[in-house]
Amino acid sequence: KTLRSHRDASTPMCGRARCSLTRAEIEAYAKRVTRLGSTKVDPDIQCQSMIDCSFNVSPGQRVPILVSDPDGGVTLRAAVWGLVPHFEKGLKHDHFKMFNARAEELSSKVSFNTLTSTKRCLVLTDGFYEWESKRVCGKNEKQPWHLHFPPADGRENGKPAVMAMAGLYDVWRHPETHEELVACTILTTTSSEETRWLHDRMPVLIDPTDDAAAARWLDVANQKTIERDMILPYESSKNSTPLKWYKVTPKMSKAAFQGEACVARLKTPVTLAKFFSPSPASKKRMVVKEEMEENR
């Protein structure tokens, strides 16, 4: 049964993702990573039925992760999004609250520092959401945006490329039944210059064309230490694949709202403000904002 810990309001970075990947897409990505030196892909045969494939994934749901195995390959596993440390004595009502791990705190947090050299993983998605806070008519409103990589096949309306996020995982065992619960967390870092207008944090992303970076993150046998260049903000100008974003419906802020409507592009309505001449400073901000909104 799916474990859930949903909230109707938007959650902190990074607290909502898109995971509409098929088993074939996940395995194809895994094979690319293992081709760099590993020789084995051993996907869990029950994994696909356990993954909560959806366009609006919240903490508490299961997501696909890739982990290294002792034979030098990778294993595809289904993990609950929201870390449950192995030393926890029992599951609490808020046991999935650790769905993010600040990269700057990995060495100081006991829940994370024992995992950085042994239990790194890649959380596989095809996008995530973030909310822009703004003031409208004296009220605070939050506009969700969908951030993603462009389609690998180059088609304008194609499916986004696999977005692998750096993560950590742990395995919690029930003290009585000994049943295992695999759970994970997504690493976050400071935002890049191009996304700082939206949020001051962003997930640690792997360029979908950089198989070497993906393999390096998973290679806990030879890469014990997480180097600084492995957790840097994702800059489109420094990678082969640009990060894209656009507005989506505020309805997807509710976890129960599902389906492709979650990622449908929301057109910006024309407002009366556009008919008035702004000050030079305001005009500059409007130009920058319009350029950002036109990002595809």
Side-chain angles (χ1 to χ4, degrees):
K1 185 177 179 180
T2 300
L3 299 170
R4 300 182 187 276
S5 179
H6 293 319
R7 304 182 218 181
D8 286 339
S10 61
T11 51
M13 163 68 63
C14 166
R16 206 65 75 79
R18 168 183 178 175
C19 183
S20 57
L21 300 171
T22 65
R23 177 66 173 269
E25 290 169 332
I26 294 171
E27 289 191 12
Y29 183 82
K31 289 178 180 178
R32 279 174 40 202
V33 174
T34 56
R35 189 179 299 135
L36 294 172
S38 303
T39 57
K40 178 184 176 186
V41 177
D42 185 21
D44 182 341
I45 59 173
Q46 300 298 322
C47 192
Q48 189 66 30
S49 62
M50 293 172 66
I51 295 171
D52 295 321
C53 290
S54 87
F55 290 88
N56 194 0
V57 183
S58 298
Q61 291 183 281
R62 289 186 172 90
V63 291
I65 65 171
L66 287 182
V67 304
S68 62
D69 63 40
D71 299 327
V74 296
T75 300
L76 170 62
R77 305 193 74 170
V80 174
W81 183 15
L83 191 71
V84 180
H86 65 276
F87 52 76
E88 286 285 353
K89 294 183 178 179
L91 295 181
K92 304 174 184 178
H93 68 282
D94 60 348
H95 44 258
F96 301 131
K97 65 181 181 180
M98 286 195 292
F99 49 86
N100 285 169
R102 294 174 69 92
E104 304 90 332
E105 300 176 347
L106 293 181
S107 61
S108 60
K109 297 275 188 177
V110 65
S111 298
F112 306 140
N113 61 21
T114 59
L115 307 177
T116 57
S117 62
T118 58
K119 288 186 170 63
R120 298 199 299 265
C121 67
L122 289 176
V123 182
L124 303 185
T125 70
D126 42 3
F128 68 98
Y129 303 93
E130 191 46 60
W131 281 256
E132 176 190 16
S133 296
K134 55 184 179 180
R135 194 94 172 156
V136 179
C137 297
K139 295 182 180 180
N140 289 325
E141 292 188 0
K142 290 190 174 183
Q143 171 61 54
W145 292 72
H146 175 49
L147 294 91
H148 63 98
F149 287 133
D153 58 12
R155 292 185 300 165
E156 183 176 350
N157 297 317
K159 192 173 182 180
V162 174
M163 178 178 280
M165 301 179 179
L168 303 173
Y169 76 100
D170 209 345
V171 181
W172 180 81
R173 292 178 177 80
H174 193 284
E176 297 178 356
T177 65
H178 303 294
E179 183 180 1
E180 292 188 347
L181 174 68
V182 180
C184 68
T185 186
I186 293 171
L187 268 62
T188 66
T189 186
T190 54
S191 284
S192 63
E193 291 186 8
E194 62 181 341
T195 60
R196 200 163 296 153
W197 62 275
L198 181 58
H199 201 285
D200 61 355
R201 306 287 299 177
M202 70 184 304
V204 176
L205 305 175
I206 307 294
D207 189 320
T209 65
D210 194 348
D211 298 341
R216 182 186 178 197
W217 180 260
L218 293 178
D219 190 8
V220 293
N222 301 301
Q223 181 71 44
K224 290 290 185 182
T225 304
I226 297 178
E227 305 293 346
R228 176 163 176 72
D229 67 310
M230 298 168 70
I231 53 174
L232 292 175
Y234 191 91
E235 298 278 2
S236 296
S237 60
K238 298 179 181 179
N239 289 277
S240 300
T241 308
L243 185 62
K244 302 293 185 179
W245 54 83
Y246 59 86
K247 290 180 181 180
V248 292
T249 175
K251 293 180 181 179
M252 64 77 48
S253 295
K254 290 186 177 293
F257 189 77
Q258 294 289 337
E260 293 189 26
C262 292
V263 295
R265 188 182 297 272
L266 185 68
K267 295 183 178 180
T268 304
V270 177
T271 62
L272 288 176
K274 289 186 179 291
F275 293 96
F276 293 89
S277 299
S279 65
S282 297
K283 185 175 182 180
K284 182 177 180 180
R285 287 195 296 270
M286 288 176 63
V287 170
V288 172
K289 186 66 179 298
E290 287 176 356
E291 289 177 349
M292 291 175 174
E293 291 184 359
E294 290 175 0
N295 183 294
R296 299 182 184 277

